[in-house]
């Protein structure tokens, strides 16, 4: 199957993408797209049956439901027909099967899975339909492996470019986050698999993540860090939530009554279960009564020593915790199992499928829409193969696979196409490929290392280029018509449990890029990475820059189809690329990485909000991405001039493709309000729509903005308030490239 899919012709690939384009052309209203994705609420219909089952359980059996009994399950009760809850990591695909009592893999032949694009790549599509495709596809794989809970998606706000999990998380913007998270969760749960949304909440750094106490004002919490969680619970109806490692205002997140009870259950009406991150529980009574339901992965000699195991049994027998409290959490576990059809009427539960050609196509579709053209000033792209005799392919990432690596969960897959393999398959046979590795991705041990500190997993990079490898790369570039440099990072360098120390390109790559470009000015620089880097010199010296991601099983095919012009790039940055780390808000305010506490001094001015409000020029702005064609915006207008609180504003604009290629553009709508009584960012994303437009044609795009989306959180009244007055909607294709404006009055 691998070879069959690799050898699909460019024409077949183009047909597949064209079908996607035609579909999105038909749907031009962002509000209509959003309305398609409403999750099924958790049902109460089995509550009486659940009460009866719990009444038959011993205290020990009920407690067994509430803690890990293997690495990824709790304990079932066989004589009552209660199965274990089976969980699986899944940010990049379904993790391979492990031994029950250890992290050692079982080395099976039945657990190969599809490797999906990381969260950064999915976010760069700016396409809710792709998010739904992702969720549905990975949900099918989870069911094929008989999982009940997928420990994904992870979508904490990207607060610092140095975050170790930036590649995995979504975006720096709460609106874009929630617009992608909702269809993702709905897609997963359509397969009778619970999505476990994570990490709740304010888990925005890996440095001291297990102990740091995050402090921020209430408005910042509500407007920036909670919206995606709110919509995942109230709109997508996520069935499970993962409590984060860090503290928030003094209490660990897994024993934080304000976050787990007051907000999650009382305000949002959450009916599912709260699962702790692995080793994130630090107490028995406090964590249980605060709202954690299932304790997983605690670092104890045995599962029976978890806080919710023998210690909980002892506290109930001592009268410190009531048995009614235990019953409450046990019933939540059973409600989850009934709603997933793991108990009760099991007919019709999804069977799923895994590592199929259909799923590889899903991965391809997402990857092909995520690739970002950062620069193309000499029009080297799309690559013209007419008369092309030779291509230098340089860089370790040209032939490196990224499904595994780093501290976090990877994917065991038989199918991962590298850029080099795709170039060999897709370039004309008459073209000679001169490959040179160029650099080594080497690390050396650090003398001192503290888990979770700002390190590279007890390693630091070797940044000295091997002279022989450099010479081979330069020689390959000199003797080739064009050079394709595939550089960037990898999943050992960008990894859970470690934030990066700076924005420097690792492994001596800047010197390699400069040398190759000097040897051959026709050099295309492709970055494979998930986080911002210092690209100032590359931007200055190079005419052609492409940004790829850890982009799944079909990454190489998607990238090469973009390079050859079979796919017109349409990806947009989901975060801001700064010129200097000091320009980013958490660093400009000197509030990262903190120590025992981390105060979010930038408040609501996260990401582009800071850059645009403070007039700090980024290297590449939020929402930025070029195309092989050009687009004009015209005739922007609203359906009315005045609106009330319960109204929905309809903003329309005509998008014309003024170039020679069919393409997709992301129309981005940012809201601004002058003379506000409260602090506001210069602009805030409040709507977007990705639309396919044929060359020479125009497409009318409608973006719906509920007036309530314009509200700010009033701390004094504890309510969302829409301030009356004039609002300006700025329409563009990045936060800095505004092409049209319209104003409305809110009464």
């Amino acid at each position: 199957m691998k070879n069959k899919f690799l050898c699909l012709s460019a024409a077949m690939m183009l047909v597949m993408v064209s079908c996607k384009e035609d579909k999105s052309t038909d749907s031009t209203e962002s509000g209509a797209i959003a309305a398609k994705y409403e999750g099924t609420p958790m049902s109460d219909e089995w509550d009486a049956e659940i009460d009866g089952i719990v009444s038959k359980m011993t205290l020990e059996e009920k407690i067994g439901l509430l803690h890990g009994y293997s690495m990824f399950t709790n304990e079932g009760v066989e004589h009552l027909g209660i199965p274990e809850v089976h969980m699986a990591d899944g940010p990049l695909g379904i993790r391979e099967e492990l031994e029950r009592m250890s992290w050692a893999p079982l080395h099976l032949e039945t657990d190969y899975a599809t490797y999906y694009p990381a969260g950064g790549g999915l976010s760069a599509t700016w396409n809710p339909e792709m998010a739904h495709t992702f969720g549905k596809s990975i949900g099918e794989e989870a069911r094929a492996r008989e999982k009940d809970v997928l420990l994904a998606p992870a979508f904490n706000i990207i607060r610092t470019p140095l975050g170790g999990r930036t590649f995995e998380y979504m975006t720096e913007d709460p609106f874009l986050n929630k617009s992608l998270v909702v269809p993702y969760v709905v897609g997963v749960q359509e397969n009778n698999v619970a999505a476990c949304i994570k990490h709740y909440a304010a888990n925005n750094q890996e440095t001291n993540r297990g102990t740091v106490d995050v402090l921020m004002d209430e408005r910042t919490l509500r407007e920036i860090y909670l919206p995606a969680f709110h919509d995942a619970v109230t709109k997508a109806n996520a069935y499970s939530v993962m409590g984060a490692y860090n503290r928030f205002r003094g209490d660990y997140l897994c024993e934080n009554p304000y976050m787990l009870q007051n907000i999650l259950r009382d305000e949002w009406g959450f009916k599912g279960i709260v699962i702790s991150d692995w080793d994130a529980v630090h107490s028995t009574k406090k964590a249980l009564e605060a709202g954690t339901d299932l304790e997983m992965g605690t670092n104890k000699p045995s599962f029976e020593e978890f806080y919710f195991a023998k210690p909980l049994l002892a506290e109930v027998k001592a009268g410190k915790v009531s048995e009614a409290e235990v019953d409450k959490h046990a019933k939540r576990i059973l409600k989850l199992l009934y709603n997933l059809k793991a108990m009760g009427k099991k007919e019709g539960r999804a069977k799923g499928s895994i590592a199929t050609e259909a799923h590889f196509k899903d991965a391809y579709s997402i990857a092909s829409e995520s690739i970002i053209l950062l620069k193309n000033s000499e029009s080297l792209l799309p690559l013209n193969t007419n008369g092309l005799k030779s291509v230098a392919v340089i860089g370790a990432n040209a032939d490196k696979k990224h499904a595994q690596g780093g501290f976090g969960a990877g994917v065991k897959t038989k199918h991962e196409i590298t850029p080099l393999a795709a170039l060999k398959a897709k370039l004309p046979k008459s073209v000679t490929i001169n490959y040179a590795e160029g650099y080594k991705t080497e690390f050396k041990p650090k003398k001192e290392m503290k888990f979770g500190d700002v390190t590279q997993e007890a390693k630091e990079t070797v940044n000295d280029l091997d002279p022989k490898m450099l010479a081979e790369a330069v020689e390959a570039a000199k003797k080739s018509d064009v050079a394709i440099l595939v550089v960037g990072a990898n999943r050992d360098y960008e990894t859970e449990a470690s934030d990066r120390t700076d924005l420097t390109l690792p492994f001596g790559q800047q010197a390699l890029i400069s040398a190759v470009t000097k040897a051959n000015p026709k050099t295309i620089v492709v970055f494979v990475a998930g986080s911002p880097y210092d690209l100032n010199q590359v931007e200055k010296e190079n005419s052609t820059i492409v940004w790829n991601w850890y982009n799944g099983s079909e990454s190489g095919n998607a990238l090469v189809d973009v390079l050859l012009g079979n796919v017109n790039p349409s990806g947009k940055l989901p975060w801001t690329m700064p010129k200097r780390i000091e320009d980013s808000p958490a660093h400009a305010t000197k509030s990262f990485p903190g120590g025992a506490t981390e105060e979010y001094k930038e408040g609501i001015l996260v990401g582009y909000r800071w850059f645009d409000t403070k007039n700090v020029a980024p290297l590449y702005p939020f929402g930025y991405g070029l195309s092989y064609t050009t687009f004009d915006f015209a005739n922007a207008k609203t359906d009315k001039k005045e609106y009330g609180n319960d109204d929905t504003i309809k903003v329309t604009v005509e998008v014309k493709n003024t170039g020679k290629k069919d393409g997709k553009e992301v129309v981005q709508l940012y809201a601004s309000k002058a003379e506000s009584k409260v602090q506001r960012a210069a602009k805030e994303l409040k709507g977007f729509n990705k639309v396919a437009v044929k060359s020479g044609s125009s497409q009318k795009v409608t973006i719906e903005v509920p007036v309530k989306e314009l509200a700010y959180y009033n701390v004094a009244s504890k309510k969302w308030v829409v301030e009356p007055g004039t609002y300006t909607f700025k329409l563009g294709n990045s936060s800095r490239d505004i092409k049209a404006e319209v104003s409305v009055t809110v009464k």
Side-chain angles (χ1 to χ4, degrees), residues 462-642:
V462 176
N463 289 314
D464 296 326
L465 288 175
D466 181 296
K468 183 180 178 183
M469 295 179 73
L470 177 60
E472 290 172 349
V474 168
E475 178 59 26
K478 282 182 178 179
K479 67 182 182 182
S480 302
D481 295 339
V482 66
I484 300 174
L485 260 170
V486 190
V487 292
N490 57 51
R491 293 196 45 246
D492 289 312
Y493 190 71
E494 296 182 25
T495 174
E496 179 183 349
S498 271
D499 294 322
R500 290 182 290 137
T501 55
D502 56 42
L503 293 177
T504 305
L505 281 169
F507 315 120
Q509 291 177 96
Q510 183 57 69
L512 172 69
I513 296 168
S514 295
V516 169
T517 303
K518 185 177 180 181
N520 188 338
K522 291 186 176 181
T523 292
I524 299 161
V525 185
V526 177
F527 288 96
V528 177
S531 309
Y533 284 87
D534 180 356
L535 303 190
N536 287 281
Q537 190 172 339
V538 180
E539 166 68 25
K540 181 179 179 181
E541 295 179 352
N542 293 87
S543 69
T544 314
I545 308 171
V546 176
W547 189 273
N548 197 12
W549 307 86
Y550 306 124
N551 236 351
S553 286
E554 283 293 303
S555 179
N557 279 331
L559 172 64
V560 173
D561 278 342
V562 166
L563 297 181
L564 296 179
N566 299 327
V567 172
N568 195 343
S570 63
K572 303 284 186 177
L573 284 175
W575 33 250
T576 303
M577 181 89 76
K579 290 183 177 180
R580 310 177 309 149
I581 190 60
E582 295 85 2
D583 293 339
S584 292
H587 301 267
T589 56
K590 295 182 170 57
S591 55
F592 173 86
T597 62
E598 171 73 352
E599 183 180 359
Y600 288 17
K601 294 179 182 178
E602 70 279 6
I604 62 171
L605 299 182
V606 176
Y608 70 91
R609 287 168 163 79
W610 174 274
F611 285 84
D612 292 353
T613 304
K614 300 292 185 180
N615 292 316
V616 178
L619 185 61
Y620 300 112
F622 174 77
Y624 173 84
L626 302 177
S627 171
Y628 294 150
T629 190
T630 51
F631 299 95
D632 280 346
F633 291 13
N635 300 322
K637 57 185 178 181
T638 55
D639 59 327
K640 296 190 298 183
K641 290 299 181 184
E642 290 189 349

Side-chain angles (χ1 to χ4, degrees), residues 409-421:
V411 185
K412 188 173 85 172
T413 184
K414 289 183 177 180
H415 184 93
E416 181 178 354
I417 308 303
T418 67
L420 181 60

